Short mmCIF file of all heavy atoms in Angstrom, two decimals:
data_model
loop_
_atom_site.label_atom_id
_atom_site.label_comp_id
_atom_site.label_asym_id
_atom_site.label_seq_id
_atom_site.Cartn_x
_atom_site.Cartn_y
_atom_site.Cartn_z
N CYS A 23 122.80 139.17 70.17
CA CYS A 23 123.83 138.48 69.38
C CYS A 23 124.93 137.94 70.28
O CYS A 23 126.12 138.06 69.98
CB CYS A 23 124.40 139.42 68.31
SG CYS A 23 125.19 138.53 66.94
N GLY A 24 124.52 137.35 71.41
CA GLY A 24 125.46 136.61 72.23
C GLY A 24 125.71 135.25 71.60
O GLY A 24 125.52 135.06 70.39
N LEU A 25 126.10 134.27 72.40
CA LEU A 25 126.40 132.95 71.86
C LEU A 25 125.20 132.33 71.16
O LEU A 25 125.33 131.74 70.09
CB LEU A 25 126.90 132.03 72.98
CG LEU A 25 128.28 132.36 73.56
CD1 LEU A 25 128.58 131.45 74.74
CD2 LEU A 25 129.35 132.22 72.50
N MET A 26 124.01 132.48 71.76
CA MET A 26 122.82 131.88 71.15
C MET A 26 122.34 132.68 69.95
O MET A 26 122.07 132.13 68.88
CB MET A 26 121.69 131.77 72.19
CG MET A 26 121.95 130.74 73.27
SD MET A 26 122.35 129.08 72.65
CE MET A 26 120.96 128.76 71.58
N GLY A 27 122.25 134.00 70.09
CA GLY A 27 121.76 134.82 68.98
C GLY A 27 122.64 134.71 67.75
O GLY A 27 122.15 134.57 66.62
N SER A 28 123.96 134.76 67.96
CA SER A 28 124.87 134.67 66.82
C SER A 28 124.80 133.29 66.18
O SER A 28 124.85 133.16 64.95
CB SER A 28 126.31 134.97 67.27
OG SER A 28 126.76 134.03 68.22
N GLY A 29 124.65 132.25 67.00
CA GLY A 29 124.55 130.90 66.46
C GLY A 29 123.30 130.70 65.63
O GLY A 29 123.34 130.08 64.56
N ILE A 30 122.16 131.21 66.11
CA ILE A 30 120.91 131.08 65.36
C ILE A 30 120.97 131.90 64.08
O ILE A 30 120.50 131.47 63.02
CB ILE A 30 119.72 131.50 66.24
CG1 ILE A 30 119.59 130.58 67.46
CG2 ILE A 30 118.41 131.47 65.43
CD1 ILE A 30 118.63 131.09 68.52
N ALA A 31 121.57 133.10 64.16
CA ALA A 31 121.72 133.94 62.97
C ALA A 31 122.55 133.23 61.91
O ALA A 31 122.19 133.19 60.72
CB ALA A 31 122.36 135.27 63.35
N GLU A 32 123.66 132.65 62.32
CA GLU A 32 124.52 131.90 61.39
C GLU A 32 123.78 130.73 60.78
O GLU A 32 123.82 130.50 59.56
CB GLU A 32 125.76 131.42 62.14
CG GLU A 32 126.70 130.58 61.30
CD GLU A 32 127.86 130.02 62.10
OE1 GLU A 32 128.22 130.62 63.14
OE2 GLU A 32 128.41 128.98 61.70
N LEU A 33 123.08 129.98 61.62
CA LEU A 33 122.32 128.82 61.17
C LEU A 33 121.28 129.21 60.12
O LEU A 33 121.17 128.58 59.06
CB LEU A 33 121.64 128.17 62.38
CG LEU A 33 120.69 127.01 62.14
CD1 LEU A 33 121.45 125.80 61.64
CD2 LEU A 33 119.95 126.67 63.44
N ALA A 34 120.51 130.26 60.40
CA ALA A 34 119.46 130.68 59.48
C ALA A 34 120.03 131.22 58.17
O ALA A 34 119.49 130.97 57.09
CB ALA A 34 118.58 131.74 60.15
N ALA A 35 121.14 131.96 58.26
CA ALA A 35 121.76 132.49 57.05
C ALA A 35 122.31 131.37 56.17
O ALA A 35 122.17 131.40 54.94
CB ALA A 35 122.86 133.47 57.42
N LEU A 36 122.93 130.36 56.78
CA LEU A 36 123.42 129.22 56.01
C LEU A 36 122.28 128.46 55.34
O LEU A 36 122.45 127.87 54.28
CB LEU A 36 124.21 128.28 56.92
CG LEU A 36 125.63 128.72 57.27
CD1 LEU A 36 126.20 127.84 58.38
CD2 LEU A 36 126.54 128.67 56.04
N ALA A 37 121.10 128.49 55.98
CA ALA A 37 119.92 127.81 55.41
C ALA A 37 119.26 128.63 54.30
O ALA A 37 118.30 128.16 53.69
CB ALA A 37 118.91 127.51 56.51
N GLY A 38 119.74 129.85 54.06
CA GLY A 38 119.22 130.64 52.95
C GLY A 38 118.29 131.76 53.32
O GLY A 38 117.76 132.45 52.44
N TYR A 39 118.07 132.01 54.61
CA TYR A 39 117.15 133.06 55.03
C TYR A 39 117.83 134.43 55.04
O TYR A 39 119.04 134.54 55.27
CB TYR A 39 116.59 132.75 56.43
CG TYR A 39 115.65 131.58 56.45
CD1 TYR A 39 116.11 130.31 56.78
CD2 TYR A 39 114.31 131.73 56.12
CE1 TYR A 39 115.26 129.22 56.79
CE2 TYR A 39 113.44 130.65 56.12
CZ TYR A 39 113.93 129.39 56.45
OH TYR A 39 113.08 128.30 56.44
N ASP A 40 117.04 135.46 54.81
CA ASP A 40 117.47 136.84 54.99
C ASP A 40 117.39 137.14 56.48
O ASP A 40 116.32 137.12 57.07
CB ASP A 40 116.53 137.75 54.19
CG ASP A 40 116.82 139.24 54.36
OD1 ASP A 40 117.42 139.63 55.36
OD2 ASP A 40 116.42 140.01 53.48
N VAL A 41 118.55 137.40 57.11
CA VAL A 41 118.63 137.51 58.56
C VAL A 41 119.05 138.93 58.95
O VAL A 41 120.03 139.46 58.42
CB VAL A 41 119.65 136.50 59.14
CG1 VAL A 41 119.74 136.63 60.66
CG2 VAL A 41 119.28 135.07 58.74
N ARG A 42 118.33 139.51 59.88
CA ARG A 42 118.73 140.80 60.44
C ARG A 42 118.81 140.67 61.95
O ARG A 42 117.86 140.19 62.59
CB ARG A 42 117.74 141.91 60.05
CG ARG A 42 118.19 143.31 60.52
CD ARG A 42 117.42 144.39 59.78
NE ARG A 42 117.72 144.31 58.35
CZ ARG A 42 116.83 144.59 57.40
NH1 ARG A 42 115.59 144.93 57.72
NH2 ARG A 42 117.17 144.51 56.14
N VAL A 43 119.94 141.08 62.53
CA VAL A 43 120.20 140.94 63.95
C VAL A 43 120.14 142.31 64.60
O VAL A 43 120.85 143.23 64.20
CB VAL A 43 121.58 140.30 64.21
CG1 VAL A 43 121.80 140.10 65.70
CG2 VAL A 43 121.71 138.98 63.45
N ALA A 44 119.29 142.46 65.63
CA ALA A 44 119.18 143.71 66.37
C ALA A 44 119.87 143.56 67.71
O ALA A 44 119.62 142.59 68.44
CB ALA A 44 117.71 144.08 66.57
N VAL A 45 120.75 144.50 68.04
CA VAL A 45 121.48 144.47 69.31
C VAL A 45 121.27 145.79 70.04
O VAL A 45 120.73 146.75 69.49
CB VAL A 45 122.98 144.20 69.08
CG1 VAL A 45 123.19 142.82 68.49
CG2 VAL A 45 123.59 145.26 68.18
N SER A 46 121.74 145.83 71.28
CA SER A 46 121.41 146.97 72.15
C SER A 46 122.38 148.13 72.06
O SER A 46 122.07 149.23 72.52
CB SER A 46 121.35 146.48 73.61
OG SER A 46 122.60 145.91 73.99
N SER A 47 123.57 147.93 71.46
CA SER A 47 124.56 149.00 71.45
C SER A 47 125.54 148.80 70.30
O SER A 47 125.70 147.67 69.79
CB SER A 47 125.35 149.01 72.77
OG SER A 47 126.16 147.85 72.87
N PRO A 48 126.25 149.87 69.88
CA PRO A 48 127.28 149.72 68.84
C PRO A 48 128.35 148.70 69.23
O PRO A 48 128.86 147.97 68.38
CB PRO A 48 127.85 151.14 68.72
CG PRO A 48 126.73 152.03 69.14
CD PRO A 48 126.03 151.28 70.24
N ARG A 49 128.70 148.67 70.51
CA ARG A 49 129.71 147.71 70.95
C ARG A 49 129.22 146.27 70.76
O ARG A 49 129.97 145.40 70.28
CB ARG A 49 130.06 147.95 72.42
CG ARG A 49 131.10 147.00 72.96
CD ARG A 49 131.41 147.29 74.43
NE ARG A 49 132.38 146.36 74.97
CZ ARG A 49 132.78 146.35 76.22
NH1 ARG A 49 132.31 147.25 77.07
NH2 ARG A 49 133.66 145.46 76.64
N SER A 50 127.96 146.02 71.12
CA SER A 50 127.39 144.69 70.92
C SER A 50 127.32 144.33 69.45
O SER A 50 127.49 143.16 69.08
CB SER A 50 125.99 144.61 71.54
OG SER A 50 126.02 144.78 72.93
N LEU A 51 127.09 145.33 68.59
CA LEU A 51 127.04 145.08 67.16
C LEU A 51 128.39 144.59 66.67
O LEU A 51 128.48 143.61 65.91
CB LEU A 51 126.64 146.36 66.43
CG LEU A 51 126.32 146.24 64.94
CD1 LEU A 51 125.31 147.30 64.51
CD2 LEU A 51 127.58 146.37 64.09
N VAL A 52 129.46 145.23 67.11
CA VAL A 52 130.81 144.84 66.67
C VAL A 52 131.16 143.45 67.18
O VAL A 52 131.63 142.59 66.42
CB VAL A 52 131.86 145.87 67.14
CG1 VAL A 52 133.27 145.36 66.87
CG2 VAL A 52 131.63 147.22 66.45
N THR A 53 130.94 143.21 68.47
CA THR A 53 131.30 141.90 69.03
C THR A 53 130.42 140.79 68.47
O THR A 53 130.91 139.69 68.20
CB THR A 53 131.21 141.90 70.57
OG1 THR A 53 129.88 142.29 70.97
CG2 THR A 53 132.20 142.88 71.16
N GLY A 54 129.15 141.06 68.26
CA GLY A 54 128.26 140.06 67.69
C GLY A 54 128.62 139.71 66.27
O GLY A 54 128.66 138.53 65.89
N ARG A 55 128.89 140.74 65.47
CA ARG A 55 129.28 140.50 64.08
C ARG A 55 130.59 139.72 64.01
O ARG A 55 130.72 138.77 63.22
CB ARG A 55 129.41 141.83 63.35
CG ARG A 55 129.73 141.71 61.86
CD ARG A 55 129.58 143.06 61.18
NE ARG A 55 130.38 144.08 61.86
CZ ARG A 55 130.18 145.39 61.70
NH1 ARG A 55 129.20 145.83 60.93
NH2 ARG A 55 130.95 146.25 62.34
N ASP A 56 131.56 140.09 64.86
CA ASP A 56 132.83 139.36 64.88
C ASP A 56 132.62 137.91 65.27
O ASP A 56 133.29 137.01 64.76
CB ASP A 56 133.80 140.03 65.86
CG ASP A 56 134.34 141.36 65.34
OD1 ASP A 56 134.12 141.66 64.14
OD2 ASP A 56 134.96 142.09 66.13
N ARG A 57 131.69 137.68 66.20
CA ARG A 57 131.42 136.31 66.65
C ARG A 57 130.88 135.46 65.49
O ARG A 57 131.30 134.31 65.30
CB ARG A 57 130.42 136.33 67.80
CG ARG A 57 130.20 135.00 68.48
CD ARG A 57 129.28 135.13 69.67
NE ARG A 57 129.93 135.76 70.80
CZ ARG A 57 129.57 136.91 71.35
NH1 ARG A 57 128.53 137.57 70.87
NH2 ARG A 57 130.22 137.40 72.38
N VAL A 58 129.98 136.03 64.69
CA VAL A 58 129.43 135.31 63.54
C VAL A 58 130.52 135.05 62.51
O VAL A 58 130.67 133.93 62.00
CB VAL A 58 128.27 136.09 62.91
CG1 VAL A 58 127.82 135.43 61.60
CG2 VAL A 58 127.09 136.19 63.87
N PHE A 59 131.30 136.08 62.19
CA PHE A 59 132.35 135.93 61.17
C PHE A 59 133.38 134.88 61.61
O PHE A 59 133.79 134.04 60.80
CB PHE A 59 133.06 137.27 60.95
CG PHE A 59 132.23 138.30 60.23
CD1 PHE A 59 130.89 138.08 59.95
CD2 PHE A 59 132.79 139.51 59.84
CE1 PHE A 59 130.11 139.04 59.30
CE2 PHE A 59 132.03 140.47 59.18
CZ PHE A 59 130.69 140.23 58.91
#
Side-chain angles (χ1 to χ4, degrees):
C23 201
L25 290 175
M26 291 306 306
S28 62
I30 297 168
E32 177 185 335
L33 175 67
L36 283 169
Y39 291 96
D40 176 337
V41 180
R42 185 163 297 145
V43 183
V45 295
S46 58
S47 68
R49 180 180 178 183
S50 296
L51 190 151
V52 172
T53 56
R55 184 169 54 198
D56 288 349
R57 188 176 285 118
V58 173
F59 289 7

